[in-house]
Amino acid sequence: MLRIAVPNKGAISGPAMAMLHEAGYKQRKESKELVLVDPENQVEFFYLRPRDIAIYVSSGRLDIGITGRDLLLDSGADAEEILQLGFARSTFRYATKPGTAAGPQDFDGMTIATSYEGIVAKHLADTGVNASVVHLDGAVETAIELGVAQIIADVVETGTSLRNAGLEVIGEPIMKSEAVVIRRTGAPGDDPKVQQFLRRLQGVLVARSYVMMDYDCRVEHLERAVALTPGLESPTISPLHHEGWVAVRSMVASKEAQRIMDDLYDLGARAILTTAIHACRL
């Protein structure tokens, strides 16, 4: 069986299980379940702390895992990402009180508080900054107020919590993170079980990003209509009973669907419909 690590809690957990369910895999119903076997798909899921997943995967005990890029890099584990999943996006940045520093070039001799010691230490080393790093588990915004550090490094989404603490973001982003699929570095890339798993998740990503569009079009307007809906390879075109009309079917990006429908209507197309794609293989 393919052994897969899934976050048992946190921002990645729910979306990861939802994606796995869409990909046709059985998922746990109770949060107390730590292991779930999906015999029909020959997969065994292990629900683990997000920070531990990269370690388990790098050990070879588990074949692949779903975690955050930030957690993967912070762990220093011998594992690599093989697929980006497009959710749980975040930006990792420095912050401090106004006037303290403009960026890492001013950090020499200062102390930086963070929950991601590995990422910060590497970034400081890469930029040649001589600063100390203190590890805190969560709520690092209070570190400056309590005198533990002059700088913090943390995940920033809207920046509201930082502003409420009287802090400002400084410098360029340290890194950008999202949920990713990882495997042990150097693991065979042609494992058919892993490749099937990745194809399923890629199918979900495509299905979420596209809709199927159908419409009727006059033959004389077909070339311009097809230019609006080229599809992945090319659209499917079928003649209609009424001479001079054809039916067109094509995949289009969800975010552009409404605009394309307007353009097709202006072109003379009618019976324009969109339907969701629940699964696909490309």
Side-chain angles (χ1 to χ4, degrees):
M1 282 192 173
L2 189 66
R3 295 158 65 88
I4 302 173
V6 181
N8 65 348
K9 60 182 179 180
I12 299 178
S13 181
M17 287 191 287
M19 176 172 276
L20 290 169
H21 178 74
E22 288 180 51
Y25 294 104
K26 182 180 177 183
Q27 286 298 289
R28 67 179 185 176
K29 297 181 180 179
E30 298 290 338
S31 60
K32 294 181 179 180
E33 291 184 80
L34 301 180
V35 181
L36 183 143
V37 177
D38 184 351
E40 186 172 330
N41 291 299
Q42 286 295 292
V43 173
E44 192 171 11
F45 292 103
F46 294 81
Y47 299 91
L48 306 170
R49 290 180 68 249
R51 281 189 170 273
D52 296 338
I53 287 177
I55 302 297
Y56 281 106
V57 171
S58 69
S59 73
R61 302 288 182 178
L62 301 179
D63 299 301
I64 52 180
I66 296 176
T67 188
R69 181 184 295 125
D70 53 351
L71 298 176
L72 166 63
L73 297 180
D74 191 60
S75 72
D78 193 18
E80 60 185 2
E81 67 176 77
I82 54 176
L83 180 64
Q84 299 173 15
L85 298 180
F87 61 85
R89 289 191 173 102
S90 61
T91 303
F92 197 67
R93 307 195 66 163
Y94 293 114
T96 187
K97 285 189 174 182
T100 302
Q105 69 274 8
D106 301 325
F107 290 176
D108 280 342
M110 294 186 179
T111 300
I112 303 169
T114 183
S115 300
Y116 298 81
E117 186 176 0
I119 292 176
V120 174
K122 183 178 185 304
H123 186 259
L124 294 176
D126 290 343
T127 53
V129 176
N130 183 23
S132 301
V133 180
V134 58
H135 178 86
L136 296 176
D137 284 322
V140 296
E141 295 92 341
T142 59
I144 296 177
E145 186 66 31
L146 295 176
V148 174
Q150 294 82 41
I151 312 290
I152 65 168
D154 202 6
V155 172
V156 177
E157 294 182 1
T158 64
T160 301
S161 60
L162 293 177
R163 288 191 294 271
N164 290 340
L167 306 178
E168 65 178 6
V169 171
I170 57 173
E172 294 298 317
I174 302 169
M175 67 167 294
K176 292 188 176 181
S177 182
E178 66 179 286
V180 296
V181 179
I182 65 171
R183 69 180 174 194
R184 181 169 54 86
T185 303
D190 57 353
D191 185 328
K193 293 183 295 184
V194 174
Q195 290 304 311
Q196 181 188 67
F197 178 79
L198 295 178
R199 279 195 301 272
R200 287 197 182 192
L201 294 191
Q202 287 166 337
V204 172
L205 291 172
V206 172
R208 289 178 172 182
S209 301
Y210 287 83
V211 294
M212 189 65 71
M213 185 171 290
D214 294 90
Y215 58 91
D216 297 342
C217 179
R218 292 286 304 175
V219 172
E220 58 264 31
H221 301 316
L222 181 59
E223 289 305 316
R224 283 192 292 167
V226 167
L228 293 170
T229 59
L232 298 185
E233 279 82 28
S234 64
T236 300
I237 301 172
S238 308
L240 293 178
H241 179 68
H242 290 292
E243 187 175 352
W245 285 84
V246 293
V248 182
R249 163 168 277 205
S250 181
M251 287 175 63
V252 302
S254 301
K255 62 182 180 180
E256 299 176 1
Q258 292 295 334
R259 176 188 60 79
I260 293 173
M261 292 175 77
D262 290 338
D263 292 343
L264 287 172
Y265 189 88
D266 291 342
L267 193 61
R270 294 296 182 265
I272 309 169
L273 309 172
T274 62
T275 52
I277 300 171
H278 296 290
C280 69
R281 297 289 185 276
L282 301 180

